[in-house]
């Protein structure tokens, strides 16, 4: 019960006064499954990118941190190819810094800061971390390319349109099959009763 009331308050706060460049909402009817978007900060390789995140709130919340991962691919030393994030506030002590006084808004702001200021000394992606430390120009080029490829508003709009068309085509073919219009009368074979 405590979890549900706290989550409701947090979501109300996030919709009334969201942190700059961050939005969060409930995914479907379940209160423990949330979605969030972070807009890449100016003067970073993620600038103008729109990054989707998945948030799963555990049963023991706020005594246990939510599980947050990127759904949008991102080129970052602290975020792996599955979208997992290496950030101390997402882990329980002694290795982590999660406290029940933290909330989802604080976590999303921390992730936004991590995007702007990677921590190459605690990487999930060793090769990207090495590139960030020793060849920052190449890192910036790669990160910008990934942002344009996966997180640009134009790319997202095109994908949404494509997904809508695929859904429409699938629905039309299902309707045709239900009506039987795809099978001619000659193709129908009479059933022989024994």
């Amino acid at each position: 019960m405590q979890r549900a009331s706290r989550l409701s308050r947090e979501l109300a706060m996030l919709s009334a006064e969201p942190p700059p460049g961050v939005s969060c909402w409930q995914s479907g009817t379940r209160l423990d499954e949330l979605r969030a978007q972070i807009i890449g900060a100016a003067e970073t390789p993620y600038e103008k990118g729109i990054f989707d995140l998945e948030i799963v709130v555990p049963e023991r919340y706020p005594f246990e941190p939510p599980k947050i991962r990127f759904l949008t691919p991102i080129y970052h030393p602290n975020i792996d190819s599955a979208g997992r994030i290496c950030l101390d506030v997402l882990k329980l002590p002694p290795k982590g810094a999660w406290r029940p006084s933290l909330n989802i808004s604080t976590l999303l702001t921390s992730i936004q800061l991590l995007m702007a200021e990677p921590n190459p000394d605690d990487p999930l992606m060793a090769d990207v971390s090495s590139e960030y430390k020793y060849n920052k120009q190449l890192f910036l080029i790669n990160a910008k390319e990934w942002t344009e490829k996966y997180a640009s508003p134009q790319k997202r709009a095109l994908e949404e349109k494509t997904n809508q068309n695929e859904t429409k085509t699938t629905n039309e073919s299902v309707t045709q099959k239900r009506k039987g219009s795809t099978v001619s009368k000659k193709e129908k074979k009479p059933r022989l009763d024994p």
Side-chain angles (χ1 to χ4, degrees):
M1 192 66 183
Q2 179 184 7
R3 176 180 82 139
S5 63
R6 177 165 167 168
L7 276 173
S8 296
R9 280 194 318 269
E10 285 190 36
L11 285 172
M13 183 180 78
L14 274 164
S15 65
E17 297 177 35
V22 173
S23 59
C24 184
W25 63 94
Q26 191 174 333
S27 174
T29 57
R30 296 189 53 171
L31 192 59
D32 60 349
E33 291 180 10
L34 309 175
R35 291 285 185 268
Q37 278 187 343
I38 295 178
I39 296 174
E43 299 178 26
T44 70
Y46 312 109
E47 185 172 10
K48 297 181 183 173
I50 301 171
F51 298 88
D52 293 322
L53 293 94
E54 172 188 70
I55 304 169
V56 177
V57 183
E59 197 65 41
R60 294 194 61 236
Y61 183 79
F63 304 105
E64 194 176 304
K67 291 175 180 21
I68 303 177
R69 72 180 187 97
F70 275 81
L71 297 174
T72 306
I74 181 170
Y75 194 82
H76 195 283
N78 306 107
I79 302 163
D80 71 7
S81 57
R84 293 176 299 214
I85 306 162
C86 183
L87 186 62
D88 61 348
V89 291
L90 294 175
K91 299 177 199 153
L92 284 169
K95 290 184 178 181
W98 171 256
R99 297 182 316 274
S101 60
L102 296 175
N103 59 34
I104 292 170
S105 178
T106 307
L107 294 177
L108 291 172
T109 303
S110 297
I111 292 168
Q112 191 178 38
L113 287 170
L114 180 70
M115 287 171 67
E117 295 290 329
N119 180 2
D121 298 323
D122 188 19
L124 272 180
M125 302 294 285
D127 53 338
V128 178
S129 174
S130 172
E131 189 176 285
Y132 180 82
K133 282 173 143 177
Y134 304 112
N135 193 350
K136 197 162 185 179
Q137 281 307 112
L138 181 60
F139 167 80
L140 293 172
I141 290 167
N142 287 332
K144 282 179 186 175
E145 282 179 6
W146 277 52
T147 300
E148 288 170 13
K149 185 175 181 180
Y150 299 108
S152 72
Q154 296 86 0
K155 175 77 172 169
R156 295 172 60 83
L158 182 64
E159 283 178 0
E160 286 176 15
K161 191 174 183 178
T162 303
N163 288 341
Q164 287 173 352
N165 288 341
E166 285 175 2
T167 303
K168 186 178 177 183
T169 305
T170 303
N171 289 342
E172 287 172 358
S173 67
V174 168
T175 304
Q176 285 180 348
K177 287 178 184 174
R178 286 186 186 147
K179 289 181 181 175
S181 62
T182 57
V183 180
S184 69
K185 289 183 180 180
K186 289 181 183 178
E187 290 176 18
K188 291 183 182 177
K189 295 184 179 166
R191 208 170 105 191
L192 299 173
D193 292 327

